[in-house]
Amino acid sequence: VDGKGAVSHPAQDLDDVVHQRTRLGILAVLSEVESVEFTYLQRALELTGGNLSRHLQVLDEAELVRIQKGYEGRRPRTWIRITRAGRRALSHEVRVLKGIVGSLEASLASGGR
Amino acid sequence: VDGKGAVSHPAQDLDDVVHQRTRLGILAVLSEVESVEFTYLQRALELTGGNLSRHLQVLDEAELVRIQKGYEGRRPRTWIRITRAGRRALSHEVRVLKGIVGSLEASLASGGR
């Protein structure tokens, strides 16, 4: 294939804030529940606390999640929930992924020919 | 949700070498053709040469693509093709994405309740 007629690939519509593996996992878990506790997310995604914190910060800055610190008895707890914008961003990601997966299934099945 | 009964999320099965937005786009384009010229990929994915080179290097090191330098007339050209391992890695990515997309569609449709 030469350079003629190239059009932008759908992968360019993916937003790295949402698409990145760990953040996609975080948002996917959050989409299923009202809110989750930090340590639950940590276990569900097999992340270190530091790693999870860093990704949550990216999502928080993009206003895709809301983070609430509080106490359960005397124990400090952090609760995280997905925002409406987070749900919208995740829906967009799903739409784009469906398109990519659909054409990939076709091209992989035909062996690229 | 508390920490009980947490199981590893499918997003953990995604390989960042393949999943990363730009590299997923590169592999998707490559899966459809025998081989492509560097500048074609650059235009299709709207990347700078340096950015494309960097991602191709990651894919080359993982042996997911093969890069061949040559000439077309007197003009230096770089041709890229996907390897069998690349095709396998892409199939794995597609399988995992389908699972994630399927459960996300369900949870997004139900509004997370």
Side-chain angles (χ1 to χ4, degrees), chain A residues 93-106:
Chain A
E93 168 85 9
V94 165
R95 268 198 307 280
V96 179
L97 284 182
K98 274 184 82 172
I100 293 174
V101 162
S103 36
L104 274 177
E105 280 192 307

Side-chain angles (χ1 to χ4, degrees), chain B residues 30-104:
Chain B
L30 293 178
S31 74
E32 292 171 5
V33 292
E34 267 299 301
S35 70
V36 295
E37 213 278 307
F38 186 91
T39 52
Y40 174 86
L41 264 187
Q42 222 188 306
R43 269 193 295 263
L45 297 165
E46 296 174 340
L47 300 171
T48 64
N51 196 4
L52 176 55
S53 289
R54 228 167 313 123
H55 286 296
L56 283 176
Q57 201 186 326
V58 173
L59 292 170
D60 188 31
E61 275 164 18
E63 300 184 350
L64 304 185
V65 303
R66 200 149 48 101
I67 299 169
Q68 244 166 341
K69 289 176 186 282
Y71 286 86
E72 194 170 56
R74 302 171 88 170
R75 290 185 156 184
R77 286 276 185 267
T78 301
W79 297 87
I80 304 113
R81 62 173 65 220
I82 192 168
T83 62
R84 276 185 190 209
R87 213 169 268 281
R88 272 198 302 274
L90 202 50
S91 295
H92 174 78
E93 168 84 8
V94 165
R95 268 198 306 282
V96 179
L97 284 182
K98 274 185 82 170
I100 293 174
V101 162
S103 35
L104 274 178

Side-chain angles (χ1 to χ4, degrees), chain A residues 23-91:
Chain A
R23 291 193 291 270
L24 184 59
I26 293 172
L27 291 172
V29 170
L30 293 178
S31 74
E32 291 171 6
V33 291
E34 266 299 300
S35 70
V36 295
E37 214 278 306
F38 187 91
T39 53
Y40 174 87
L41 264 186
Q42 222 189 305
R43 270 194 295 263
L45 297 165
E46 296 174 341
L47 300 171
T48 63
N51 196 6
L52 176 55
S53 289
R54 229 168 311 124
H55 285 297
L56 283 177
Q57 200 186 325
V58 173
L59 293 171
D60 188 31
E61 275 164 16
E63 300 184 349
L64 305 185
V65 303
R66 200 150 50 100
I67 299 169
Q68 242 165 342
K69 290 177 185 279
Y71 287 86
E72 195 169 57
R74 302 171 86 170
R75 290 185 156 182
R77 285 277 185 267
T78 301
W79 297 87
I80 304 112
R81 62 173 66 218
I82 192 168
T83 61
R84 277 184 189 208
R87 211 171 271 280
R88 272 197 303 273
L90 202 51
S91 294

